[in-house]
């Protein structure tokens, strides 16, 4: 029964694809996606921006990913070199911090020192550039496995947003879902 339904769905999809529609769109200079943008009434308007592309440098991507590697290996000095002089941090706990580079590294270093090891499984990342705001972001999704010096193991899935300006992270927002 599932195979019949799958075959029927595939056949319906193929029949619905009409090359004449594509040619018409090309000759009129419009595409289905641009037509849907103008004809769709969205329930919200983005308060920050909805104008994004992926025009973020690979150097900014490397800078961001190296902060995770620095954390994993306990290289707090390496981490410090990738942060701006002042960083705004939105922690997964809900805390909002605006700290100097030195104060942030001191705070994070104290926590990192309580761990005997950290393992990060970087699942994915996405480069995002706000064209109208001229802001670069690297969004990451990863799993982190922390082993405390007491032997306790803690693991969670994370989703982070890293904003970069002039090659340094200036804003960092973290979302956490504990793993069971």
């Amino acid at each position: 029964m599932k195979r019949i339904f799958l075959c029927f769905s595939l056949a319906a999809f193929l029949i619905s694809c009409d090359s004449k529609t594509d040619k018409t769109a090309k000759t009129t200079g419009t595409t289905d996606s641009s037509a849907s943008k103008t004809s769709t009434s969205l329930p919200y308007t983005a308060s920050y921006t909805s104008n994004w592309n992926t025009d973020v440098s690979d150097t900014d991507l490397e800078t961001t990913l190296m902060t995770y590697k620095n954390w994993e290996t306990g290289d707090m000095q390496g981490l410090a070199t990738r942060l701006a002089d002042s960083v705004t941090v939105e922690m997964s706990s809900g805390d909002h911090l605006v700290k100097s580079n030195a104060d942030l590294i001191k705070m994070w270093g104290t926590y990192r020192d309580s761990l005997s090891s950290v393992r990060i499984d970087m699942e994915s990342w996405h480069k995002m550039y706000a064209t109208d705001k001229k802001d670069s972001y690297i969004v990451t999704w990863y799993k982190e496995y922390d082993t405390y010096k007491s032997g306790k193991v803690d693991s969670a899935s994370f989703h982070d947003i890293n904003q970069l300006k002039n090659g340094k992270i200036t804003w960092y927002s973290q979302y956490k879902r504990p793993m069971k």
Side-chain angles (χ1 to χ4, degrees):
M1 184 69 176
K2 288 181 183 178
R3 287 185 184 176
I4 294 171
F5 180 72
L6 179 63
C7 291
F8 178 76
S9 297
L10 182 60
F13 173 76
L14 292 173
I15 291 170
S16 69
C17 294
D18 184 57
S19 62
K20 292 178 186 177
T21 305
D22 292 338
K23 289 178 185 176
T24 304
K26 288 178 186 173
T27 59
T28 61
T30 62
T31 62
D32 290 340
S33 64
S34 65
S36 66
K37 286 181 186 176
T38 57
S39 66
T40 302
S41 177
L42 300 175
Y44 294 100
T45 301
S47 60
Y48 177 72
T49 188
S50 61
N51 298 315
W52 297 95
N53 67 31
T54 58
D55 192 22
V56 176
S57 74
D58 286 342
T59 303
D60 281 352
L61 175 61
E62 179 185 26
T63 295
T64 302
L65 294 178
M66 282 306 299
T67 64
Y68 293 93
K69 184 54 76 176
N70 294 143
W71 177 258
E72 184 177 37
T73 62
D75 181 5
M76 300 310 288
Q77 284 308 112
L79 178 58
T81 65
R82 292 168 173 80
L83 302 177
D85 292 339
S86 177
V87 182
T88 301
V89 179
E90 307 285 342
M91 299 298 295
S92 60
S93 64
D95 291 339
H96 172 85
L97 312 169
V98 179
K99 296 252 185 207
S100 70
N101 182 314
D103 288 343
L104 192 58
I105 292 300
K106 182 178 178 183
M107 182 183 82
W108 283 349
T110 300
Y111 178 73
R112 182 61 179 87
D113 286 344
S114 71
L115 303 172
S116 61
S117 71
V118 173
R119 183 172 62 85
I120 293 177
D121 173 16
M122 186 61 64
E123 295 177 313
S124 188
W125 58 81
H126 186 66
K127 300 189 293 186
M128 298 179 68
Y129 181 74
T131 58
D132 53 343
K133 303 290 184 181
K134 308 223 181 312
D135 287 334
S136 296
Y137 296 87
I138 305 292
V139 182
T140 60
W141 294 268
Y142 61 99
K143 292 178 181 162
E144 183 173 323
Y145 305 89
D146 296 340
T147 303
Y148 291 84
K149 290 181 178 176
S150 66
K152 175 187 166 193
V153 178
D154 189 18
S155 58
S157 293
F158 290 88
H159 165 83
D160 297 348
I161 306 169
N162 300 270
Q163 182 183 36
L164 293 100
K165 291 186 182 186
N166 300 319
K168 304 280 185 176
I169 294 176
T170 58
W171 180 75
Y172 172 77
S173 185
Q174 183 179 74
Y175 304 89
K176 176 182 179 181
R177 182 179 52 84
M179 293 173 26
K180 295 181 180 186

